[in-house]
């Protein structure tokens, strides 16, 4: 028998056949709205692929994108892998030097960019060695450079069927944010992405805490809030298309615009990093839409960093249903979700409930996950013993591009090493307590920066907190807290320490975990994916304890 190939083309064809009339909308903060359908975008993606072929783009060629969450980016998600080329979304928030490195390292042949990035692209061009073709997305406002425009390419293309591809054809590549050195490249095949899409769809459609039963009656709405340059937008452009959900692409992120879209478009589910959720909860226009949001009860899936309990509570008060997901660039990305078993009873104690809700969660199907010690022995499921999360799954990248040493290190012992430190709970859940590079090693013992951040955030005057390990002559490292107060709030270092001492007295943390210093700032530095950039903080305050 002929083997049926697991390709994104076959997924896209199914979506066109079954959900052709379901809406896909591009509703940016500024500019013209576009309301389309899956059927229309299927044809446009075919035309785009043929237009790219006419311009010399062929199988295996790498096509980089610098774009917001636009409808053209959605088309590229299907068109580029569909023609046998390789899609390479670029993180628009990276430094120009890192972008040059990534594009050259990936050997991208094409760079498709939004008009907003035209000045940046002009600066990059002299340093890009492999790019032969530049294409602009003018977003209806007209081109700002002489490069070909994507709509013209779509118009000149013919709606030719996508080719039959082997499922092991590489579909996408992506790079880590480079927080511990140069960004590393990972690649994903059609088979890997189809399996990730199918399994994610099972989770979002059927798992308790994520499923929306009302969506069986009419198409529910998913808001693509995760940047599409961040690990395939967490896979949701493909997943929610396969589920037949209506999708909204909001362009460049704007908190006020986003809360309005949630209310007016009746958004049922979205996802993002904790910083984005915090920005929505503090958006000036939020009060105008709270009543509608409470009526809709949208799920907000937090990933990319730990969800603090206090942030989860604030989200719930507004009307959001906070949930947790976990993954990374190298894992396509989803590994776990904070779903609940059908027979599971919810804790009556509020603190226990939010501890359960904010845990990293349970593996989704086809993810083999363990928490292990340095010898790859599973740690006890006691909720106390720390170890590293290791995984095996069909969608974990098999290697780092052009880096055999890092590949060997990551895949030692036949497991992919995530670098995330966690405890294994008696019920099988995992709870990440830190990144291996962020855990504070003081006097030979580990201190969880995430747990300290979560406790500091319970202070009524605290908006955000980051805890870092700072060099110490005696202890090796000691914790230092960097705190952003709420607007108009006044709080002192002594008040933060006294607040934490309450948790020492209740037995939540040992006394030696108390920070040696508390620093107050107006804002915390963020990485290109919106996470708190502890690398910057560690460099900025590396001598703070020596000075004191």
């Amino acid at each position: 028998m002929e083997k049926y190939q697991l390709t994104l083309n076959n997924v896209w064809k199914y979506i066109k056949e079954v959900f052709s009339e379901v809406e896909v909308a591009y509703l940016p903060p500024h500019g013209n709205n576009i309301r389309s359908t899956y059927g229309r975008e299927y044809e446009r993606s075919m035309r785009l692929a043929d237009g790219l072929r006419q311009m010399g783009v062929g199988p295996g060629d790498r096509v980089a994108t610098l774009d917001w969450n636009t409808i053209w980016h959605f088309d590229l998600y299907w068109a580029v892998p569909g023609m046998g080329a390789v899609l390479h979304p670029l993180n628009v928030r990276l430094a120009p030097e890192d972008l040059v490195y990534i594009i050259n390292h990936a050997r991208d042949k094409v760079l498709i960019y939004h008009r907003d990035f035209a000045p940046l692209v002009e600066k990059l061009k002299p340093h890009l060695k492999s790019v032969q073709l530049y294409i602009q997305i003018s977003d209806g406002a007209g081109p700002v450079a002489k490069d070909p425009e994507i709509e013209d390419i779509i118009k000149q293309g013919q709606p030719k069927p996508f080719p039959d591809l082997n499922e092991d054809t590489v579909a996408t590549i992506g790079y880590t944010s480079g927080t511990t050195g140069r960004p590393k490249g990972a690649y994903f095949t059609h088979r890997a992405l189809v399996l990730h899409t199918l399994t994610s769809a099972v989770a979002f459609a059927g798992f308790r805490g994520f499923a929306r039963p009302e969506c069986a009656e009419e198409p529910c709405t998913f808001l693509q809030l995760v940047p599409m340059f961040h690990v395939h937008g967490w896979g949701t452009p493909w997943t929610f298309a396969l589920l037949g959900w209506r999708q909204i692409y909001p362009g460049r992120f704007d908190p006020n615009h986003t809360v309005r879209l949630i209310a007016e478009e009746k958004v049922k589910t979205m996802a993002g990093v904790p910083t984005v959720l915090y920005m929505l909860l503090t958006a000036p226009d939020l009060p105008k839409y709270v009543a509608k949001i409470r009526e809709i009860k949208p799920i907000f899936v937090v990933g990319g960093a730990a969800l603090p309990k206090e942030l989860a509570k604030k989200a719930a008060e507004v009307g959001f249903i906070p949930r947790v997901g976990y993954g990374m660039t190298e894992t396509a990305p989803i590994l776990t979700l904070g779903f609940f078993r059908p027979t599971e009873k919810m804790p009556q104690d509020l603190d226990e409930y939010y501890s359960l809700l904010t845990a990293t969660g349970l593996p989704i199907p086809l993810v083999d996950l363990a928490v292990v010690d340095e010898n790859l022995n599973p740690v006890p499921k006691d909720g106390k013993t720390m170890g590293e999360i290791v995984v095996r799954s069909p969608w974990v990248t098999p290697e780092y591009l052009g880096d055999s040493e890092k590949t060997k290190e990551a895949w030692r012992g036949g497991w992919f090493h995530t670098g995330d430190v966690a405890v294994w709970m008696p019920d099988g859940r995992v709870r990440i307590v830190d990144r291996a590079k962020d855990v504070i090693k003081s006097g030979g013992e580990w201190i969880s920066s995430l747990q300290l951040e979560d406790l500091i955030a319970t202070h009524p005057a605290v908006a955000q907190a980051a805890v870092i390990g700072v060099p110490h002559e005696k202890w090796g490292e000691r914790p230092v807290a960097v705190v952003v107060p709420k607007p108009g709030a006044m709080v002192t270092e002594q008040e933060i320490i006294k607040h934490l001492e309450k948790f020492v007295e209740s037995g939540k943390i040992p006394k030696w975990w108390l920070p040696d210093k508390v620093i107050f700032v107006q804002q915390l530095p963020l990485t290109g994916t919106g996470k708190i950039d502890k690398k910057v903080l560690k460099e900025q305050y590396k001598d703070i304890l020596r000075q004191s």
Side-chain angles (χ1 to χ4, degrees), residues 432-539:
I432 292 177
V433 296
D434 229 325
R435 286 288 292 166
K437 66 183 188 317
D438 290 332
V439 71
I440 300 162
K441 303 174 184 71
S442 185
E445 301 290 340
W446 284 0
I447 298 174
S448 169
S449 67
L450 295 182
Q451 189 172 354
L452 281 176
E453 289 163 3
D454 203 17
L455 296 177
I456 292 170
T458 62
H459 191 286
V462 171
Q464 288 179 294
V467 176
I468 56 173
V470 172
H472 190 279
E473 185 177 2
K474 180 178 180 181
W475 301 109
E477 284 186 326
R478 288 296 299 154
V480 168
V482 186
V483 173
V484 179
K486 289 181 179 176
M490 297 291 292
V491 62
T492 66
E493 180 176 21
Q494 287 181 331
E495 288 173 337
I496 295 295
I497 297 300
K498 285 183 179 179
H499 177 70
L500 289 174
E501 284 174 346
K502 293 188 299 183
F503 299 104
V504 173
E505 293 169 5
S506 65
K508 280 189 175 292
I509 57 172
K511 187 173 183 179
W512 60 274
W513 276 32
L514 293 177
D516 281 23
K517 196 167 187 64
V518 180
I519 300 164
F520 295 96
V521 297
Q522 291 186 337
Q523 61 183 24
L524 295 169
L526 302 178
T527 66
T529 51
K531 306 174 191 176
I532 296 171
D533 196 337
K534 292 189 177 181
K535 180 180 67 173
V536 172
L537 293 175
K538 287 178 181 179
E539 177 63 27

Side-chain angles (χ1 to χ4, degrees), residues 122-270:
E122 289 304 312
K123 291 179 182 178
L124 297 180
K125 281 182 178 180
H127 307 286
L128 303 182
K129 301 173 183 178
S130 57
V131 178
Q132 300 174 25
L133 175 62
Y134 294 88
I135 297 170
Q136 186 177 161
I137 299 171
S138 66
D139 208 346
V144 293
K146 295 181 180 179
D147 296 322
E149 211 282 323
I150 195 167
E151 275 298 327
D152 293 333
I153 293 172
I154 293 172
K155 289 174 184 175
Q156 74 185 26
Q158 298 299 313
K160 295 182 178 180
F162 288 111
D164 293 329
L165 300 173
N166 187 288
E167 62 185 27
D168 293 323
T169 301
V170 176
T172 68
I173 56 176
Y175 278 71
T176 64
S177 55
T179 54
T180 56
R182 282 293 193 184
K184 300 184 291 290
Y187 68 84
F188 307 92
T189 64
H190 278 260
R191 180 179 185 273
L193 296 178
V194 168
L195 289 172
H196 183 273
T197 299
L198 289 169
T199 308
S200 300
V202 167
F204 281 107
F207 282 11
R208 182 181 170 201
F210 285 80
R212 308 297 305 239
E214 67 270 29
C215 299
E217 301 296 326
E218 61 180 64
C220 280
T221 300
F222 179 81
L223 176 63
Q224 185 58 49
L225 210 51
V226 177
M228 296 174 75
F229 58 72
H230 188 199
V231 208
H232 311 120
W234 299 359
T236 50
W238 297 312
T239 297
F240 282 89
L242 180 59
L243 287 172
W245 279 43
R246 177 174 176 259
Q247 289 196 62
I248 293 177
Y249 289 79
R252 184 174 185 171
F253 176 68
D254 176 272
N256 285 330
H257 175 64
T258 301
V259 294
R260 181 178 64 81
L261 283 180
I262 293 168
E264 294 182 355
E265 300 293 329
K266 299 179 181 178
V267 172
K268 287 289 186 178
T269 300
M270 72 208 85

Side-chain angles (χ1 to χ4, degrees), residues 396-408:
V396 178
T397 188
E399 62 181 312
Y400 288 117
L401 291 168
D403 199 329
S404 58
E405 285 302 312
K406 283 191 171 62
T407 298
K408 184 178 179 182

Side-chain angles (χ1 to χ4, degrees), residues 367-382:
V367 172
D368 190 6
L369 181 148
V371 184
V372 300
D373 63 20
E374 58 185 13
N375 296 315
L376 273 180
N377 297 313
V379 302
K381 293 183 179 180
D382 57 9

